[in-house]
Amino acid sequence: MNSAWDRLPIMIRDLSRDHRSVGKLVFFEADSSRLRLSEQQIAFFHEHGYLSGIRVLTDDQVEVLREELSQLTDPSHPGNELFYEYHSNESTNPDTVLFHALGAWRIAPGFHDLLWNPAFTIPASQLLNGPVRFWHDQLFCKPAHHGGVVAWHQDYSYWTRTQPLAHLTCWIGLDDSTRKNGCLQYIAGSHRWSELPITGLAADMDAINAVLDDGQRRQFEKPVAVELKKGEASFHHPRLVHGSFANRSDHSRRATVINVMRDGVRSASNKPLLQGVPIVPAGEKIEGQFFPRLFDPLTDADDRQRMEVRPRPGFSSR
């Protein structure tokens, strides 16, 4: 009997050319105001650096993405050459596994359409206070019993090739995430810190201690464990320190991450911003095929539900 891959075409169409939903995930919401964050939620984000428990996917939509993910984790998938990065196991410990890949939106129609999900784009626009432009996506998978860690880090420490700092991360669970299976953990308030040196993404959880001062170490005494149901999301600031511990449970912990920026962010590098992507010269606006604009509150929202845009704290170029 032929496998699923035997029935696929040899060439996979690069979905980065499609800057709209291709119809794999269907989003129903007649009243966009129901998707908007409250003033209290926005204030919480700016105070603590994160906001969790936001429902962005139905159970049926989660199942679509799980099926696509099961195909994408096969290294022989014919579309895997379109990933910017692909690590079957990024863990430095051979006894644990951390699948990590960037670029699923180019390959799988469900992960592609996820970017245009209004349950994600509308809150993202509120937190960024403006139009939302795509940066890149990620997949993180920790298998049951031997899933590896994601070490403490700041996202923007990896993203200084973009300026100014006007980014946002959305972490979406494809499984229920708990303390037992290695849920996301935050150091609340650490988004006010300056950039920290990179100390490794899939290595020792304690490696970050070498670059912290005494006050910062004290904040690590009270990490916030973000337990989520499948289909729920957590948004966090690009400087917020976060990580996740190993999965020793009987259940997998799979997640997809959407990283976005406010429209207008510019390149700060004369090297490719992502592997295989044409160079955006330093000083030029990041846009084009690989960085589509996902949502503009002034033009994309329903006429009756125009989103108010006004200055808010929380993002700066310092």
Side-chain angles (χ1 to χ4, degrees):
M1 182 175 179
N2 292 337
S3 70
W5 303 132
D6 293 333
R7 298 191 297 271
L8 284 171
I10 295 176
M11 297 298 294
I12 299 293
R13 183 164 64 94
D14 184 353
L15 296 177
S16 68
R17 298 186 178 93
D18 295 298
H19 289 184
R20 65 180 66 186
S21 171
V22 297
K24 183 66 173 182
L25 293 185
V26 180
F27 305 111
F28 296 103
E29 184 54 62
D31 183 0
S32 61
S33 66
R34 294 169 58 90
L35 303 176
R36 295 190 61 189
L37 302 174
S38 68
E39 289 295 325
Q40 291 77 16
Q41 288 174 308
I42 295 171
F44 184 96
F45 174 86
H46 289 300
E47 173 65 22
H48 300 283
Y50 72 94
L51 181 67
S52 63
I54 307 302
R55 171 67 61 180
V56 297
L57 292 172
T58 66
D59 288 352
D60 288 343
Q61 291 166 341
V62 169
E63 288 305 315
V64 171
L65 297 180
R66 282 176 168 180
E67 175 60 28
E68 290 187 345
L69 179 59
S70 70
Q71 299 168 4
L72 294 174
T73 54
D74 181 349
S76 66
H77 187 293
N80 282 8
E81 64 182 15
L82 294 176
F83 277 110
Y84 308 128
E85 295 182 27
Y86 188 92
H87 308 278
S88 293
N89 186 11
E90 197 167 5
S91 174
T92 58
N93 180 350
D95 296 326
T96 60
V97 174
L98 176 68
F99 175 85
H100 179 212
L102 282 68
W105 81 290
R106 299 179 64 185
I107 306 161
F111 284 104
H112 173 276
D113 286 3
L114 178 60
L115 307 185
W116 281 269
N117 179 0
F120 155 67
T121 59
I122 290 176
S125 181
Q126 289 181 273
L127 296 176
L128 284 172
N129 192 38
V132 179
R133 187 169 291 277
F134 182 57
W135 175 216
H136 62 75
D137 61 347
Q138 296 170 278
L139 299 171
F140 285 100
C141 302
K142 299 182 181 186
H145 306 299
H146 60 282
V149 306
V150 177
W152 296 110
H153 67 284
Q154 294 172 314
D155 291 339
Y156 194 66
S157 293
Y158 292 86
W159 300 345
T160 53
R161 58 193 183 276
T162 63
Q163 291 181 351
L165 186 155
H167 291 258
L168 181 70
T169 297
C170 179
W171 193 101
I172 304 170
L174 301 180
D175 294 299
D176 292 350
S177 59
T178 66
R179 289 172 174 84
K180 290 184 178 180
N181 70 0
C183 70
L184 196 63
Q185 305 226 10
Y186 291 137
I187 305 301
S190 59
H191 61 303
R192 299 187 182 89
W193 300 358
S194 298
E195 280 86 55
L196 298 173
I198 293 173
T199 55
L201 187 64
D204 182 3
M205 289 294 290
D206 297 324
I208 197 171
N209 285 333
V211 300
L212 301 178
D213 60 34
D214 290 341
Q216 291 169 333
R217 292 190 187 95
R218 283 193 292 273
Q219 287 187 245
F220 267 83
E221 295 174 2
K222 295 182 179 181
V224 178
V226 180
E227 295 188 306
L228 299 171
K229 296 294 185 181
K230 65 179 182 181
E232 290 183 340
S234 181
F235 293 87
H236 64 255
H237 187 284
R239 277 206 184 110
L240 188 75
V241 176
H242 60 287
S244 57
F245 290 91
N247 181 6
R248 303 298 186 191
S249 77
D250 296 332
H251 305 284
S252 62
R253 200 229 66 180
R254 295 164 290 182
T256 184
V257 178
I258 308 175
N259 303 298
V260 292
M261 52 194 164
R262 190 168 57 221
D263 189 31
V265 169
R266 296 180 179 275
S267 171
S269 174
N270 285 315
K271 298 180 179 179
L273 296 174
L274 297 167
Q275 185 174 332
V277 170
I279 292 171
V280 180
E284 290 193 9
K285 180 181 175 180
I286 300 174
E287 57 187 354
Q289 175 180 338
F290 299 99
F291 310 103
R293 192 174 68 177
L294 304 179
F295 181 77
D296 186 336
L298 298 180
T299 60
D300 296 341
D302 183 88
D303 288 340
R304 296 167 299 172
Q305 303 291 343
R306 295 297 182 195
M307 295 171 60
E308 183 179 7
V309 178
R310 64 173 184 256
R312 298 187 188 277
F315 294 92
S316 70
S317 58
R318 65 179 175 85

